[in-house]
Amino acid sequence: MTSEITLFVNPTAGGGRGARAARTAAAALRDAGFHVSTVTGDGPEDALSRARSAVEEGTGALIAVGGDGMANLALQAVVGTGTPFGLVAAGTGNDFARALGMPLREPATSGRMIADALKSGRSRDVDLGRIGDRWFGAVLASGFDSRVNDRGNRMRAPLGRFKYDVAMVAELAAFRPLPYRITLDGGAVREVEATLVAVGNGPSYGGGMRICPGADLTDGLFDITVVGECSRATLLRVFPRVYKGTHVDHPVVTVMRATSVELAAEDVTGYADGEYVGPLPLTATCVPGAVRVVGP
């Protein structure tokens, strides 16, 4: 394996933690004998183009430094290439890092862990979700949670994560269950009234909310969590349980498993790994062993 590896960096991740984490991780990798190049970009498209160029030129690994958005962007560059993917979690959510078992906001430890894996040839192939030509590692969200994202993204103030708390309160005030049409593995269409539908390749989103607690990155299946029709009061009682994953025991919650799922609903958008995908209907497919990961 070549000793030339690439850090793919979002310097603004986590309010500037990304740049600091990149320097720390790079030092750990260089101490282990690797030659490290750094790739950023003027916006996501330019950054992805530069990452793809590094992969095409034969980098020994592409290591994303940042949050779920940066991890998601890096996945677009490495899928199908055989180039190992590593992740130094330095963002706000870090849910794909959680699924991979990587340390959170410990760039020196992450750098040493990745270096050791690269030297020893320790890697594993994990599943990814695919929506058209887009790939995701953790969760495709739709419904109440995606509407919170929509509202938060439109807001100019307040800044930071607090605006999503404000957006959640506003969405609760306007909350109504949504009529969904769900098709699993090309079977019969299921028509349900749902608060939200989450398609999990990994178990969590939103910074540790275990919306699909049984999801496994290596089983070739999605876990699809459907929070059914319920009142605001029930939603407020059930939703906090998502941090432990115990919400799935509530009668309004159903979990299904499938290799592909089509979601259709009016005026609902989908977000994968926290990134906007587009309006429903959307079809997601679980692709086994889609990316080679170095780490634990």
Side-chain angles (χ1 to χ4, degrees):
M1 188 207 75
T2 177
S3 63
E4 308 276 338
I5 60 177
T6 303
L7 289 188
F8 187 39
V9 182
N10 178 2
T12 64
R17 282 192 301 268
R20 296 190 295 273
R23 289 193 293 268
T24 302
L29 288 158
R30 290 186 178 111
D31 287 346
F34 290 94
H35 177 77
V36 180
S37 300
T38 300
V39 168
T40 56
D42 297 323
E45 290 186 7
D46 181 54
L48 179 56
S49 175
R50 291 169 185 260
R52 283 177 167 154
S53 293
V55 170
E56 290 168 1
E57 290 166 8
T59 187
L62 185 69
I63 301 165
V65 184
D68 288 320
M70 201 62 180
N72 182 275
L73 201 59
L75 291 175
Q76 315 308 312
V78 297
V79 168
T81 67
T83 299
F85 166 82
L87 181 55
V88 176
T92 303
N94 301 316
D95 287 291
F96 193 45
R98 283 184 175 86
L100 293 173
M102 291 299 295
L104 305 184
R105 300 177 187 170
E106 296 181 24
T109 301
S110 298
R112 289 191 294 268
M113 186 179 292
I114 292 168
D116 179 67
L118 288 169
K119 282 187 166 184
S120 64
R122 187 177 70 249
S123 65
R124 56 189 172 123
D125 293 337
V126 304
D127 307 340
L128 293 178
R130 185 180 66 204
I131 306 166
D133 61 356
R134 292 276 302 275
W135 298 83
F136 67 94
V139 176
L140 167 65
S142 72
F144 174 75
D145 41 10
S146 67
R147 287 191 167 181
V148 169
N149 261 326
D150 287 338
R151 184 182 289 268
N153 290 342
R154 292 194 300 267
M155 293 167 60
R156 294 187 178 181
L159 299 176
R161 287 183 63 85
F162 184 62
K163 72 177 179 180
Y164 292 98
D165 296 333
V166 174
M168 181 176 289
V169 172
E171 282 300 321
L172 273 172
F175 167 74
R176 295 289 185 279
L178 305 165
Y180 271 85
R181 298 179 302 282
I182 303 174
T183 307
L184 304 180
D185 292 332
V189 177
R190 306 174 187 223
E191 297 188 0
V192 299
E193 294 286 324
T195 302
L196 64 86
V197 180
V199 179
N201 182 54
S204 72
Y205 66 179
M209 293 189 289
R210 295 177 58 79
I211 188 68
C212 302
D216 183 338
L217 294 179
T218 61
D219 66 358
L221 295 169
F222 289 133
D223 277 30
I224 301 107
T225 298
V226 180
V227 179
E229 184 176 7
C230 61
S231 66
R232 291 186 188 90
T234 299
L235 180 60
L236 286 170
R237 286 196 301 272
V238 172
F239 204 75
R241 295 167 57 175
V242 76
Y243 286 97
K244 293 185 177 179
T246 58
H247 62 291
V248 296
D249 299 325
H250 194 281
V252 301
V253 180
T254 302
V255 178
M256 302 174 286
R257 292 185 171 88
T259 57
S260 70
V261 55
E262 180 181 351
L263 303 179
E266 296 294 330
D267 300 320
V268 177
T269 53
Y271 286 80
D273 295 340
E275 300 297 304
Y276 177 81
V277 177
L280 273 54
L282 292 171
T283 299
T285 303
C286 184
V287 180
V291 66
R292 180 161 297 169
V293 173
V294 289

